[in-house]
Amino acid sequence: MSARTPYVIKGDTGDWEVVMGLEIHAQVASNAKLFSGASTEFGADPNCNVSLVDAAMPGMLPVINRKCVEQAVRTGLGLKAEINLYSRFDRKNYFYPDLPQGYQISQFAHPIVGEGEIDVDVEPAHGGEAYSFPCRIERLHLEQDAGKSIHDMDPNSTYVDLNRSGVALMEIVSKPDVRSPAEAAAYVKKIRAIVIALGTCDGDMDKGNLRADVNVSVCRPGQYEKFRETGDFGHLGTRCELKNMNSFRFIQQAIEYEARRQIEIIEGGGTVDQETRLFDPVKVETRSMRSKEDAHDYRYFPDPDLLPLEIEQAWIDEIKASLPELPDQKRARFESEYGISHYDAGVLIADADKAAYFETVAKGRDAKLAANWVTQELFGYLNKEGLELGDSPVSADALGGLIALISDDTISGKIAKDVFARMIAGEGEAAAIVEKHGLKQVTDTGAIEKVVDEIIAANPEQVEKVKEKPQTLGWFVGQVMKASGGKANPKAVNEILKAKLGL
């Protein structure tokens, strides 16, 4: 892994850097809402999963869902964060048509989870190298989601669907430790991988079950270091919040645009307004949504209908003992157990399905070869076709069968690619395809020697050249492979050529 280098944007008056903190809203995996027994099922008809509590009917009192509290604790432990034995719910007052109470029940001064830290791996891009950086977690708190306003069903009316109203959310707030668009996307990916592994959120960004708010500001080089030393936010520029981002690509595009927008304003003599902005993926630009409120604008106060939440250390210890293997632990195991690279291990543990697929392919086989085929050939095909792993036409067992044929020299790597293409086309298992099309590798040294002798005899000038420059042996290898229809064993070809040519 390489060192972390500053992400610099060139402005008209000099260099600028970006500083970001993120707020990730992860929907808690639970059958019922945070303060009611209403269903959290996705896709129900509008206003069907709504209890009297969710609709804010007079006299209705919230009751905390123990499962949601447990899921928050599990997530906090997965973030290596402090679990607070005492926490409290507050009312956050603001008006939206889809917020029937006129306030949101959230946590402010006393969250259920305190400070933590995770390591974030950033994939190489634009010729760069992979690296990792630590990102501090400021807090995780529980809160209820709002409903949904629908503006496109009638030109003169807004419709309200309260199915999401009251659904439990975990808001995971980072410190401003994220320094580039790529780092922001990598951070969200890491949080997503953790909550999926824990089973505390399904991470489905298309459904809005995991979304991020990105607070973006810019500063001159060196100012961020002063902020880290002093804690004084005055060293950083005014931040703007990019709201409800649910795509890794859009996150990066929005940050890039927003940072340059702020730089242009400052260099033009203007002042950046603290506000909440939305990203338009069609125009690839951000636009103002509303002025950004501060905490005092929400008039937080303890919710009078809910007692403070007090949990016991023994319960936390019990939850901790039940935690599954987390992404960092799985990555370390893949590196040590399978001998694969840090980067390949990171790709494979990106989600549980990928990791399980790889382990099936690699079981009892050449793990490094399996990793190459899964990450390059299979994932390359899926990305090109826009398919998910679950839609792969080649199962893990089937790909494992192909790996086995390469490992025992039944077929070469080149032939394997042809077999793989036929597997994708639906021709069946690798062994059957090899048998049907006569694709077995030629390992008979006598047969290979005959081809080698013919190639050498027909190319005396090339023979003299390879003796002067042994590195040109590849030309002969290519000719022999071509003459054998790609079926000759490459290792045997190299050995026989070297012996015949005296190399």
Side-chain angles (χ1 to χ4, degrees):
M1 302 290 280
S2 65
R4 187 185 191 190
T5 56
Y7 176 78
V8 176
I9 297 177
K10 300 289 184 182
D12 292 337
T13 61
D15 292 344
W16 295 85
E17 294 180 357
V18 186
V19 180
M20 289 165 285
L22 283 82
E23 302 164 8
I24 292 179
H25 295 84
Q27 180 176 321
V28 175
S30 64
N31 293 326
K33 296 182 180 181
L34 184 56
F35 299 114
S36 81
S39 171
T40 59
E41 179 187 5
F42 180 81
D45 290 337
N47 297 308
C48 287
N49 295 343
V50 185
S51 73
L52 297 177
V53 173
D54 306 324
M57 293 299 173
M60 297 297 102
L61 299 177
V63 177
I64 188 71
N65 182 336
R66 178 186 174 94
K67 178 66 175 181
C68 295
V69 175
E70 179 184 343
Q71 296 286 59
V73 172
R74 285 173 67 84
T75 304
L77 292 170
L79 297 174
K80 303 174 187 174
E82 178 185 1
I83 309 300
N84 295 320
L85 300 181
Y86 173 93
S87 60
R88 191 184 73 197
F89 286 99
D90 300 282
R91 289 187 179 180
K92 181 181 181 182
N93 296 272
Y94 61 95
F95 173 77
Y96 277 157
D98 50 25
L99 190 70
Q101 293 97 333
Y103 59 83
Q104 178 188 42
I105 301 178
S106 182
Q107 293 184 313
F108 177 56
H110 301 280
I112 190 168
V113 177
E115 294 187 352
E117 183 175 293
I118 61 172
D119 290 320
V120 179
D121 298 301
V122 185
E123 297 177 4
H126 308 301
E129 296 183 11
Y131 66 93
S132 65
F133 72 95
C135 186
R136 296 169 296 165
I137 304 298
E138 182 175 310
R139 57 191 278 142
L140 178 156
H141 62 261
L142 280 168
E143 63 184 21
Q144 58 180 178
D145 204 352
K148 180 180 180 181
S149 294
I150 304 169
H151 306 291
D152 56 3
M153 291 180 64
D154 188 291
N156 302 309
S157 302
T158 292
Y159 289 78
V160 174
D161 179 5
L162 295 180
N163 279 347
R164 288 188 70 95
S165 177
V167 167
L169 298 177
M170 297 178 289
E171 182 170 338
I172 303 167
V173 183
S174 82
K175 299 278 190 179
D177 291 346
V178 181
R179 306 299 311 282
S180 76
E183 288 186 0
Y187 170 78
V188 178
K189 287 180 182 178
K190 185 59 175 285
I191 294 292
R192 181 175 181 271
I194 290 172
V195 296
I196 290 175
L198 290 166
T200 55
C201 173
D202 67 14
D204 193 331
M205 299 177 75
D206 290 335
K207 294 179 181 177
N209 293 352
L210 189 139
R211 53 196 190 267
D213 300 340
V214 187
N215 292 287
V216 181
S217 66
V218 296
C219 65
R220 293 293 189 181
Q223 294 299 104
Y224 175 75
E225 286 70 26
K226 290 183 180 179
F227 155 71
R228 287 297 299 265
E229 291 173 6
T230 64
D232 182 2
F233 278 91
H235 294 294
L236 307 180
T238 301
R239 63 189 172 92
C240 291
E241 180 184 50
L242 307 180
K243 194 73 174 174
N244 287 337
M245 307 295 295
N246 66 343
S247 158
F248 301 126
R249 181 165 61 91
F250 292 165
I251 286 172
Q252 296 187 72
Q253 290 177 338
I255 293 168
E256 185 74 34
Y257 176 88
E258 178 59 24
R260 294 184 184 278
R261 185 190 72 87
Q262 293 183 22
I263 290 169
E264 287 181 8
I265 290 173
I266 298 169
E267 291 188 330
T271 301
V272 175
D273 294 326
Q274 181 173 313
E275 61 183 351
T276 298
R277 300 179 68 84
L278 294 176
F279 177 64
D280 185 334
V282 176
K283 296 181 178 179
V284 193
E285 63 182 25
T286 64
R287 64 173 185 270
S288 181
M289 177 183 177
R290 61 173 183 266
S291 61
K292 176 65 178 172
E293 299 89 347
D294 289 312
H296 62 265
D297 294 318
Y298 292 117
R299 295 185 296 112
Y300 281 100
F301 64 87
D303 192 297
D305 294 332
L306 290 162
L307 292 170
L309 189 60
E310 296 185 7
I311 57 180
E312 298 179 350
Q313 185 61 46
W315 189 46
I316 297 172
D317 294 340
E318 181 182 328
I319 295 171
K320 187 174 184 178
S322 70
L323 294 183
E325 185 179 46
L326 293 172
D328 285 348
Q329 297 168 325
K330 191 184 292 290
R331 185 175 202 161
R333 179 171 66 81
F334 276 23
E335 290 180 50
S336 61
E337 185 175 326
Y338 296 112
I340 61 178
S341 71
H342 186 76
Y343 175 73
D344 281 347
V347 173
L348 292 167
I349 60 95
D351 64 54
D353 289 341
K354 288 182 179 179
Y357 187 100
F358 164 72
E359 293 210 79
T360 299
V361 175
K363 187 175 182 180
R365 304 184 179 101
D366 184 329
K368 290 184 179 180
L369 185 61
N372 287 338
W373 271 85
V374 172
T375 60
Q376 296 176 26
E377 301 300 330
L378 179 71
F379 290 172
Y381 164 75
L382 295 177
N383 290 337
K384 180 181 177 181
E385 299 298 323
L387 299 175
E388 297 296 327
L389 183 59
D391 301 319
S392 172
V394 181
S395 69
D397 286 326
L399 185 56
L402 178 62
I403 302 298
L405 294 178
I406 302 171
S407 298
D408 67 10
D409 287 333
T410 299
I411 58 175
S412 66
K414 184 177 181 180
I415 294 174
K417 292 187 178 183
D418 178 41
V419 175
F420 183 66
R422 293 175 183 274
M423 294 170 71
I424 289 173
E427 290 192 27
E429 300 289 316
I433 292 172
V434 169
E435 190 67 33
K436 177 181 178 182
H437 296 281
L439 297 174
K440 284 186 179 180
Q441 188 168 233
V442 176
T443 56
D444 181 352
T445 55
I448 296 174
E449 280 189 26
K450 182 180 178 182
V451 176
V452 169
D453 288 339
E454 290 173 356
I455 298 294
I456 290 175
N459 297 278
E461 293 182 2
Q462 196 69 30
V463 169
E464 294 304 317
K465 185 176 180 180
V466 77
K467 288 181 178 180
E468 294 176 8
K469 296 181 178 180
Q471 62 267 32
T472 62
L473 181 68
W475 183 87
F476 278 101
V477 174
Q479 292 301 307
V480 175
M481 296 302 294
K482 182 179 179 181
S484 67
K487 296 179 183 179
N489 184 308
K491 183 179 179 182
V493 170
N494 273 274
E495 291 175 352
I496 293 170
L497 277 167
K498 287 178 182 178
K500 296 279 186 181
L501 296 169
L503 301 179

